[in-house]
Each structure stands twice: as C-alpha cells, then as structure tokens.
Amino acid sequence: MGSVVERTRKPVVHGWFTQTTGSAAEGFRLLGTKCGGCGAVFFPREDAFCRNPGCAGGDLTEVPLSPRGRVWSYTDGRYRPPAPYVSDPEAPWEPYTLVAVELEAERMVVLGQAAPGIGAADLAVGMEMEVVPGVLNEDAGTTWTTWHFRPVGVDA
Amino acid sequence: MSGDVVVLGAGMHPWGKWGRSFVEYGRAAAAAALADAGLDWRDVQSVVGADTVRGGYPGYVAGATFARALGWQGARVTSVYAACASGAQAISTARAQILAGLAEVVLVVGADAAPKGFFAPAGGDRPDDPDWLRFRVLGATNPAYFGLYARRRMALHGDTPEDFARVKVKNSAAGALNPYARYRTAVSAQEVAASPLVADPLRLLDICATSDGGAALVLAGADFARARGITDPVRIRAVSTVTPTYPRTLLDLPDIATDSAAGLLPEGARDSFRSSIARAAYEEAGIGPEDLSLAEVYDLSTALELQWYEDLGLCGPGEGAELVREGATALGGRIPVNTSGGLASFGEAVPAQAIAQVCELTWQLRGTAGDRQVAGARVGITANQGLFGHGSAVVAVR
C-alpha cells in the first residue's frame, strides 16, 4: 500500500554498536576501543587518544564489549525529557526505564534504556542483563537504532 | 606566608523564580556583601565572577558583567566556569590572588536565572558533547542520575524512601528559618511520599528545583583585615578544587559509561571522587571530620545528601541513613548538615550555589545565623561537585 513508509535504519551514534538487520539479537554488541599500549578499554569509544595517565600511548582499535553484565542500578523517566531527546509532544508521555549495567569482562558501568515493556519493577540490582538491538525513535525517512538492555532469559 | 584569607563580607539575593536577569541578582548580592564588609565597591581591586551558561554572552564573562553593573572602576577581572563548582573556583581564584599579593580585596560573585523544569544541554547538534549525547541517546536527565544513585543505596545499604524523605523534612525545617531560601515552609514525610515519582525511587520533593539567585563574598588578606581593626574574622583555611583520578569507576553526570574497573578492588573498597574532594580540603586545612561544627553539602537529591555524609567522613560507608534517622545532622544535632536549608530549600542557582554555601558558613561562624545558629560553631566545611570532574570544598574557621 502507498501508506507504507520505507525508512532507512541508521544508528543514533555511528560506531557505538554493531549494525544488525531486523531485531535479531544474535551477535549484537556494543563497540568500544582498546589501547594497544596499556590495554584500557573505552566506551563511548576513544579513537584519538588513550586516557590512562600512566600510558605512553598506543593504537586504539575497535573491540566488541561483553554482551552481558549485571544491573548496577536502574531508574525511570516519569516526565518527558527536553530536546535533543525526541518524542512526540502530541502523544501522552510513556515513561521509559534506564538501566546501568556493569559489563562482565570490562567491569565498566554502561547506561542504556531497557527494552520496551521492561519497567523498574521488573529489575533488581545484580540481575543478569544482555544487550540487544533497539529502536530509539522514527522520523519521516529514518529508523534511529540504539542498544537496549533486557534481563537474560526474557524473550524480546 | 600567612595561609589564611578572611571573609570580610557575605551577601545574597533571595532565591526564587523572580523572572529577571542574573545580573540584577549578582549585583544585589555584591552590594550586600560590600555593605556587610563596610567597603565601597571602588575599594575592590579584583572581581571574580562565576559564569552562567544561561545568560548568553554576559553569562560567559560574568566577572566583567558584574563589574560593569556595579560601575566600571578599573579592577582586575576574572570569569570562571566549572558547572556547579563554579563558585568554588571563583573563591579559589580570589584566594590565590590575595595570597600571591596581586590584590588585597577581592569580590566574588555568582548568580543565575534558571528556566523551569529539567536543565537541558546547549542547543544544536553536537554528537561530540557527552552532555548532548546523554539527552539525545538516553533521555538521561539530571534526576535520572539521582534516581540511579538512590536505588543503588537502597540495594547496597538498605536505605528506604522514608530515609530519603527524612532529609527533606530536616532541610525544609532549616530553610523555613532562612530569609534567603526560596521554600520557607516545613515539609512532612507524608508530603514527600505523596509527591509524584520523577525518577524511581525519587519523588518531586526528593529532588532540588532550579532557581534564580545570587551570592557574593568580599575576601581579603589577613593584614588588610588587621589594619581595619578586625581581630577575629572568619578565615578560609582550605579550598579544594581537585579532579578525579583515572580510572573513574563511579557513574557520574553527564557520562554514559564509567572507565573500566577491570583489575581493581571491589567498589566498596575503592576511593570515590567525592571523598577525595573532602580529603584534599581536610589535608589543606589540617583538620578532620571530628573537628567540624557544621557542613553544607550539595543535596541535589535527598539520597545524595546521605552519600555526602559518608564521603565527608561524618560516618562510615553505608551509615548515612542512620545519621539522619537519629537526628545527628539536624539543627541541634551532633553535626548539623545544611543549616541553610540546602538545595532542598533553595533550588539550584548553579554559579551562586558554592558561594552561598560559604555565606552560610560565614554567618554560622560569626554567630549571626539567627534561629538557625549552631551553638559555638568554630569550623565548617562545604562540599559540592561540578559536572565534568570538578571538585569543590571550602573549609572556614573562626
């Protein structure tokens, strides 16, 4: 039908996570960078310099981050955040859940929105989570993709 | 060298939602501080302004903006910005100028006019700016971070929403006694519990508002004060403006992630940035938490005030809620915290806030804090933290 809009899928930020097609969670990973000099891993990625003050410097190469981690903390947004967060001002505000997850190997805490349908009441500190592909928002021509966290063992 | 700088004058413009320019608030606070010091503006040799990002260009050059509003008189000028820690940077700059012999009398001013609702990043598409990214990618407002810290405390230490409400009840009781506070009504635990959830588990009355306000200090060298016959002034003993150390492993505004903690001690055994802010101030002042008469801390949320108790060493890790439960940090308690009423009663006027904290210490140490007075106050500390890694703490004594 003519009403079907063909949207291009684009990551909300380039290079922060692997590209996927559809909603397949298989193989989806956050992407960081690793310093060849000291082994430090950075997310969001540092491509220009290593931030370890004890490191003489080294090449920074892209690395996938642990697909799983544990809830460090969580909260939600009961009120519409200001721009540049995109939301339809005409639509009633739907709270979203924010989760801070400590990634398994890197032991860095990464913030992300929870997958749709996961509320604060579904979460607990220490719960095992996995990173999955998600959609942040859609506009006329684009589906803006992002990462979401969801409890391990919960189907999308 | 005599390491002490004295507070000759303290002044504020009442906090509120007045709808006028920050310049008016800053000028009024400056005039009040000068009057308190018994000095004419033309006696001031240097003016240091704490900038605001909400006032357009005049906000970025606050020192000159306030100097112009007071009437150009040729003083040396400095403008500084460090988010919530801007005021401490302004005090630190003034103090350094005095100790270096560049100026005998320095005026420090900070003021803001804040919009209603959430603070938002500066406009435009700026994907290299973490503050822009956290809003675009996550919708992570400041209260979202406060909610994360609060939930973490509940999970780790067993704090409850009722403990958080106790902080609001305590601070609103103190704020009701402060003529400069925006909110001057005592709030009950029931009122906190009945206010709407903003960022689970925090409710509207757990989170500080954004306000208009202004604060100013007149600082001088000890010799200048002595020459004017001031024998027992409030003295600034330390100003901590430290940055974090790498790796920074505690999630903080406006970051989307921490540094990696791989290979480090568990979280509870690691030093936090906030505790390092206090430690630097204690070491510089040659005092410890046991010497304090009072503390002013940055209670962006009720739960965050409990965290500051621990970071200042007023109690052990995880024991913050116990302090507020037993009333130790209330007026009349063992170690009163936020006798001014804190951000809970003021709301945040960003560049004025760290200066306002020192105004409160000044009045308390002089014994002129009225119904809020801490009996026999001799030593006070302020603590605060600015976005992007700015520590802020001031120790004042008398």
Side-chain angles (χ1 to χ4, degrees), chain A residues 51-65:
Chain A
R51 290 193 282 104
N52 177 356
C55 176
D59 290 336
L60 288 150
T61 51
E62 184 174 285
V63 286
L65 303 182

mmCIF file with all atom_site columns, all heavy atoms in Angstrom, chain A residues 51-65:
data_model
loop_
_atom_site.group_PDB
_atom_site.id
_atom_site.type_symbol
_atom_site.label_atom_id
_atom_site.label_alt_id
_atom_site.label_comp_id
_atom_site.label_asym_id
_atom_site.label_entity_id
_atom_site.label_seq_id
_atom_site.pdbx_PDB_ins_code
_atom_site.Cartn_x
_atom_site.Cartn_y
_atom_site.Cartn_z
_atom_site.occupancy
_atom_site.B_iso_or_equiv
_atom_site.pdbx_formal_charge
_atom_site.auth_seq_id
_atom_site.auth_comp_id
_atom_site.auth_asym_id
_atom_site.auth_atom_id
_atom_site.pdbx_PDB_model_num
ATOM 1   N N   . ARG A 1 51 ? 43.196 7.594  27.519 1.00 0.00 ? 51 ARG A N   1
ATOM 2   C CA  . ARG A 1 51 ? 43.001 8.475  28.676 1.00 0.00 ? 51 ARG A CA  1
ATOM 3   C C   . ARG A 1 51 ? 43.663 7.970  29.956 1.00 0.00 ? 51 ARG A C   1
ATOM 4   O O   . ARG A 1 51 ? 43.451 8.526  31.028 1.00 0.00 ? 51 ARG A O   1
ATOM 5   C CB  . ARG A 1 51 ? 41.500 8.691  28.910 1.00 0.00 ? 51 ARG A CB  1
ATOM 6   C CG  . ARG A 1 51 ? 40.842 9.554  27.836 1.00 0.00 ? 51 ARG A CG  1
ATOM 7   C CD  . ARG A 1 51 ? 39.446 10.006 28.246 1.00 0.00 ? 51 ARG A CD  1
ATOM 8   N NE  . ARG A 1 51 ? 38.440 8.957  28.097 1.00 0.00 ? 51 ARG A NE  1
ATOM 9   C CZ  . ARG A 1 51 ? 37.923 8.267  29.110 1.00 0.00 ? 51 ARG A CZ  1
ATOM 10  N NH1 . ARG A 1 51 ? 38.318 8.494  30.349 1.00 0.00 ? 51 ARG A NH1 1
ATOM 11  N NH2 . ARG A 1 51 ? 37.014 7.345  28.889 1.00 0.00 ? 51 ARG A NH2 1
ATOM 12  N N   . ASN A 1 52 ? 44.447 6.897  29.848 1.00 0.00 ? 52 ASN A N   1
ATOM 13  C CA  . ASN A 1 52 ? 45.187 6.407  31.014 1.00 0.00 ? 52 ASN A CA  1
ATOM 14  C C   . ASN A 1 52 ? 46.414 7.292  31.209 1.00 0.00 ? 52 ASN A C   1
ATOM 15  O O   . ASN A 1 52 ? 47.281 7.327  30.339 1.00 0.00 ? 52 ASN A O   1
ATOM 16  C CB  . ASN A 1 52 ? 45.586 4.954  30.772 1.00 0.00 ? 52 ASN A CB  1
ATOM 17  C CG  . ASN A 1 52 ? 46.416 4.390  31.916 1.00 0.00 ? 52 ASN A CG  1
ATOM 18  O OD1 . ASN A 1 52 ? 46.761 5.102  32.865 1.00 0.00 ? 52 ASN A OD1 1
ATOM 19  N ND2 . ASN A 1 52 ? 46.747 3.115  31.810 1.00 0.00 ? 52 ASN A ND2 1
ATOM 20  N N   . PRO A 1 53 ? 46.519 7.999  32.353 1.00 0.00 ? 53 PRO A N   1
ATOM 21  C CA  . PRO A 1 53 ? 47.653 8.930  32.516 1.00 0.00 ? 53 PRO A CA  1
ATOM 22  C C   . PRO A 1 53 ? 48.994 8.197  32.617 1.00 0.00 ? 53 PRO A C   1
ATOM 23  O O   . PRO A 1 53 ? 50.042 8.812  32.430 1.00 0.00 ? 53 PRO A O   1
ATOM 24  C CB  . PRO A 1 53 ? 47.328 9.667  33.819 1.00 0.00 ? 53 PRO A CB  1
ATOM 25  C CG  . PRO A 1 53 ? 46.477 8.709  34.577 1.00 0.00 ? 53 PRO A CG  1
ATOM 26  C CD  . PRO A 1 53 ? 45.659 7.976  33.542 1.00 0.00 ? 53 PRO A CD  1
ATOM 27  N N   . GLY A 1 54 ? 48.958 6.902  32.899 1.00 0.00 ? 54 GLY A N   1
ATOM 28  C CA  . GLY A 1 54 ? 50.189 6.144  33.011 1.00 0.00 ? 54 GLY A CA  1
ATOM 29  C C   . GLY A 1 54 ? 50.594 5.456  31.715 1.00 0.00 ? 54 GLY A C   1
ATOM 30  O O   . GLY A 1 54 ? 51.545 4.666  31.697 1.00 0.00 ? 54 GLY A O   1
ATOM 31  N N   . CYS A 1 55 ? 49.882 5.741  30.644 1.00 0.00 ? 55 CYS A N   1
ATOM 32  C CA  . CYS A 1 55 ? 50.142 5.049  29.378 1.00 0.00 ? 55 CYS A CA  1
ATOM 33  C C   . CYS A 1 55 ? 50.896 5.969  28.439 1.00 0.00 ? 55 CYS A C   1
ATOM 34  O O   . CYS A 1 55 ? 50.538 7.136  28.274 1.00 0.00 ? 55 CYS A O   1
ATOM 35  C CB  . CYS A 1 55 ? 48.815 4.621  28.743 1.00 0.00 ? 55 CYS A CB  1
ATOM 36  S SG  . CYS A 1 55 ? 49.001 3.862  27.117 1.00 0.00 ? 55 CYS A SG  1
ATOM 37  N N   . ALA A 1 56 ? 51.951 5.440  27.814 1.00 0.00 ? 56 ALA A N   1
ATOM 38  C CA  . ALA A 1 56 ? 52.749 6.236  26.873 1.00 0.00 ? 56 ALA A CA  1
ATOM 39  C C   . ALA A 1 56 ? 52.027 6.403  25.556 1.00 0.00 ? 56 ALA A C   1
ATOM 40  O O   . ALA A 1 56 ? 52.438 7.195  24.711 1.00 0.00 ? 56 ALA A O   1
ATOM 41  C CB  . ALA A 1 56 ? 54.107 5.575  26.642 1.00 0.00 ? 56 ALA A CB  1
ATOM 42  N N   . GLY A 1 57 ? 50.943 5.663  25.383 1.00 0.00 ? 57 GLY A N   1
ATOM 43  C CA  . GLY A 1 57 ? 50.160 5.803  24.153 1.00 0.00 ? 57 GLY A CA  1
ATOM 44  C C   . GLY A 1 57 ? 50.279 4.569  23.288 1.00 0.00 ? 57 GLY A C   1
ATOM 45  O O   . GLY A 1 57 ? 51.270 3.835  23.349 1.00 0.00 ? 57 GLY A O   1
ATOM 46  N N   . GLY A 1 58 ? 49.261 4.331  22.511 1.00 0.00 ? 58 GLY A N   1
ATOM 47  C CA  . GLY A 1 58 ? 49.262 3.176  21.625 1.00 0.00 ? 58 GLY A CA  1
ATOM 48  C C   . GLY A 1 58 ? 48.126 3.306  20.645 1.00 0.00 ? 58 GLY A C   1
ATOM 49  O O   . GLY A 1 58 ? 47.300 4.212  20.774 1.00 0.00 ? 58 GLY A O   1
ATOM 50  N N   . ASP A 1 59 ? 48.069 2.408  19.676 1.00 0.00 ? 59 ASP A N   1
ATOM 51  C CA  . ASP A 1 59 ? 46.979 2.458  18.704 1.00 0.00 ? 59 ASP A CA  1
ATOM 52  C C   . ASP A 1 59 ? 45.681 2.030  19.376 1.00 0.00 ? 59 ASP A C   1
ATOM 53  O O   . ASP A 1 59 ? 45.659 1.093  20.176 1.00 0.00 ? 59 ASP A O   1
ATOM 54  C CB  . ASP A 1 59 ? 47.271 1.514  17.532 1.00 0.00 ? 59 ASP A CB  1
ATOM 55  C CG  . ASP A 1 59 ? 48.426 2.046  16.683 1.00 0.00 ? 59 ASP A CG  1
ATOM 56  O OD1 . ASP A 1 59 ? 48.657 3.279  16.729 1.00 0.00 ? 59 ASP A OD1 1
ATOM 57  O OD2 . ASP A 1 59 ? 49.084 1.232  16.012 1.00 0.00 ? 59 ASP A OD2 1
ATOM 58  N N   . LEU A 1 60 ? 44.607 2.703  19.040 1.00 0.00 ? 60 LEU A N   1
ATOM 59  C CA  . LEU A 1 60 ? 43.296 2.346  19.573 1.00 0.00 ? 60 LEU A CA  1
ATOM 60  C C   . LEU A 1 60 ? 42.549 1.562  18.508 1.00 0.00 ? 60 LEU A C   1
ATOM 61  O O   . LEU A 1 60 ? 42.367 2.040  17.390 1.00 0.00 ? 60 LEU A O   1
ATOM 62  C CB  . LEU A 1 60 ? 42.541 3.614  19.962 1.00 0.00 ? 60 LEU A CB  1
ATOM 63  C CG  . LEU A 1 60 ? 43.100 4.302  21.212 1.00 0.00 ? 60 LEU A CG  1
ATOM 64  C CD1 . LEU A 1 60 ? 42.886 5.804  21.180 1.00 0.00 ? 60 LEU A CD1 1
ATOM 65  C CD2 . LEU A 1 60 ? 42.513 3.701  22.482 1.00 0.00 ? 60 LEU A CD2 1
ATOM 66  N N   . THR A 1 61 ? 42.142 0.358  18.874 1.00 0.00 ? 61 THR A N   1
ATOM 67  C CA  . THR A 1 61 ? 41.434 -0.476 17.904 1.00 0.00 ? 61 THR A CA  1
ATOM 68  C C   . THR A 1 61 ? 40.051 -0.828 18.447 1.00 0.00 ? 61 THR A C   1
ATOM 69  O O   . THR A 1 61 ? 39.838 -0.921 19.658 1.00 0.00 ? 61 THR A O   1
ATOM 70  C CB  . THR A 1 61 ? 42.207 -1.787 17.637 1.00 0.00 ? 61 THR A CB  1
ATOM 71  O OG1 . THR A 1 61 ? 42.511 -2.392 18.898 1.00 0.00 ? 61 THR A OG1 1
ATOM 72  C CG2 . THR A 1 61 ? 43.507 -1.510 16.893 1.00 0.00 ? 61 THR A CG2 1
ATOM 73  N N   . GLU A 1 62 ? 39.122 -1.014 17.515 1.00 0.00 ? 62 GLU A N   1
ATOM 74  C CA  . GLU A 1 62 ? 37.744 -1.308 17.895 1.00 0.00 ? 62 GLU A CA  1
ATOM 75  C C   . GLU A 1 62 ? 37.632 -2.703 18.498 1.00 0.00 ? 62 GLU A C   1
ATOM 76  O O   . GLU A 1 62 ? 38.207 -3.647 17.974 1.00 0.00 ? 62 GLU A O   1
ATOM 77  C CB  . GLU A 1 62 ? 36.863 -1.204 16.646 1.00 0.00 ? 62 GLU A CB  1
ATOM 78  C CG  . GLU A 1 62 ? 35.388 -1.387 16.916 1.00 0.00 ? 62 GLU A CG  1
ATOM 79  C CD  . GLU A 1 62 ? 34.560 -1.117 15.662 1.00 0.00 ? 62 GLU A CD  1
ATOM 80  O OE1 . GLU A 1 62 ? 34.398 0.059  15.313 1.00 0.00 ? 62 GLU A OE1 1
ATOM 81  O OE2 . GLU A 1 62 ? 34.118 -2.095 15.036 1.00 0.00 ? 62 GLU A OE2 1
ATOM 82  N N   . VAL A 1 63 ? 36.890 -2.805 19.606 1.00 0.00 ? 63 VAL A N   1
ATOM 83  C CA  . VAL A 1 63 ? 36.632 -4.118 20.216 1.00 0.00 ? 63 VAL A CA  1
ATOM 84  C C   . VAL A 1 63 ? 35.156 -4.236 20.598 1.00 0.00 ? 63 VAL A C   1
ATOM 85  O O   . VAL A 1 63 ? 34.562 -3.276 21.090 1.00 0.00 ? 63 VAL A O   1
ATOM 86  C CB  . VAL A 1 63 ? 37.471 -4.363 21.498 1.00 0.00 ? 63 VAL A CB  1
ATOM 87  C CG1 . VAL A 1 63 ? 38.910 -4.643 21.171 1.00 0.00 ? 63 VAL A CG1 1
ATOM 88  C CG2 . VAL A 1 63 ? 37.345 -3.204 22.479 1.00 0.00 ? 63 VAL A CG2 1
ATOM 89  N N   . PRO A 1 64 ? 34.577 -5.411 20.387 1.00 0.00 ? 64 PRO A N   1
ATOM 90  C CA  . PRO A 1 64 ? 33.220 -5.625 20.901 1.00 0.00 ? 64 PRO A CA  1
ATOM 91  C C   . PRO A 1 64 ? 33.275 -5.787 22.412 1.00 0.00 ? 64 PRO A C   1
ATOM 92  O O   . PRO A 1 64 ? 34.213 -6.386 22.946 1.00 0.00 ? 64 PRO A O   1
ATOM 93  C CB  . PRO A 1 64 ? 32.778 -6.917 20.215 1.00 0.00 ? 64 PRO A CB  1
ATOM 94  C CG  . PRO A 1 64 ? 34.036 -7.614 19.816 1.00 0.00 ? 64 PRO A CG  1
ATOM 95  C CD  . PRO A 1 64 ? 35.116 -6.577 19.666 1.00 0.00 ? 64 PRO A CD  1
ATOM 96  N N   . LEU A 1 65 ? 32.282 -5.263 23.114 1.00 0.00 ? 65 LEU A N   1
ATOM 97  C CA  . LEU A 1 65 ? 32.239 -5.370 24.577 1.00 0.00 ? 65 LEU A CA  1
ATOM 98  C C   . LEU A 1 65 ? 31.413 -6.585 24.990 1.00 0.00 ? 65 LEU A C   1
ATOM 99  O O   . LEU A 1 65 ? 30.663 -7.158 24.189 1.00 0.00 ? 65 LEU A O   1
ATOM 100 C CB  . LEU A 1 65 ? 31.640 -4.098 25.171 1.00 0.00 ? 65 LEU A CB  1
ATOM 101 C CG  . LEU A 1 65 ? 32.353 -2.788 24.793 1.00 0.00 ? 65 LEU A CG  1
ATOM 102 C CD1 . LEU A 1 65 ? 31.701 -1.596 25.493 1.00 0.00 ? 65 LEU A CD1 1
ATOM 103 C CD2 . LEU A 1 65 ? 33.845 -2.849 25.124 1.00 0.00 ? 65 LEU A CD2 1
#
